[in-house]
Amino acid sequence: MSRLRRSIVRLLVASIVLIPAASLAMYAFNPFGARSLDPRQRILGHGLYRVPSSSMLPGIVPEQVLLTRAGYYTKHAPQRGDLVTLFVPEHEGQVWLQRIVGLPGETLSIVDGRVHIDGVALDEPYVAAGNVSMDHSLTFPPTRVPAGHYFMMGDNRDNSMDSRFQPMTKREDITGKVVARLF
């Protein structure tokens, strides 16, 4: 009986030492390439994001919790339509949620409330017609997306602070891809 007891104690002691040591090493090494100090993102490769605003209505509502994959774009190219979290340096490094609409090298414009990429209207089933009624949602002059940048927009076009009003997002400022909606 004492042999079993010693084995259990050794296992517990090893766990108490090894698990924190491994976690610290993962945090320092940051194998997922997370651009955050959040241990969930650096150790597990995923993080949680609570939606603070109505800029993504109707599909994503305020206070909804999303699961993001940190560092996803260190190994994958951002794609049009991806929901992403991003740093906004102009707003004290806040992390926002937006959708990738324009890719590097493309020319984006808005005509009669529809986004056009290189002159071709974009199909955007996630944008509700009732969220495209203000002047800034109905028209936007042709604008070229510079290399290494992305044109971001919220789905609630009337109520979104996005690339129409501030600098386009650099690729390195995209912090994660939304992979699930939790609640």
Side-chain angles (χ1 to χ4, degrees), residues 75-89:
K75 296 179 181 162
H76 301 88
Q79 300 295 312
R80 183 182 344 278
D82 286 356
L83 283 175
V84 300
T85 54
L86 56 125
F87 281 132
V88 184

Side-chain angles (χ1 to χ4, degrees), residues 13-124:
V13 169
S15 297
I16 290 170
V17 171
L18 290 178
I19 291 174
S23 296
L24 284 172
M26 290 281 288
Y27 184 88
F29 181 61
N30 191 15
F32 300 103
R35 294 214 42 228
S36 169
L37 298 178
D38 183 340
R40 295 170 295 193
Q41 293 182 22
R42 294 175 71 98
I43 296 169
L44 303 174
H46 288 80
L48 299 177
Y49 181 84
R50 182 177 299 273
V51 179
S53 72
S54 62
S55 68
M56 296 303 291
L57 286 173
I60 298 176
V61 299
E63 301 304 315
Q64 188 169 17
V65 177
L66 307 173
L67 181 67
T68 63
R69 185 164 168 204
Y72 179 82
Y73 295 109
T74 59
K75 296 179 181 162
H76 301 88
Q79 300 295 312
R80 183 182 344 278
D82 286 356
L83 283 175
V84 300
T85 54
L86 56 125
F87 281 132
V88 184
E90 296 77 17
H91 292 271
E92 300 177 17
Q94 294 177 8
V95 176
W96 288 7
L97 174 72
Q98 294 189 338
R99 187 178 299 277
I100 297 174
V101 178
L103 304 175
E106 295 179 334
T107 299
L108 181 140
S109 63
I110 301 176
V111 179
D112 296 327
R114 297 206 55 201
V115 173
H116 289 73
I117 302 293
D118 296 328
V120 178
L122 188 60
D123 182 32
E124 297 184 292

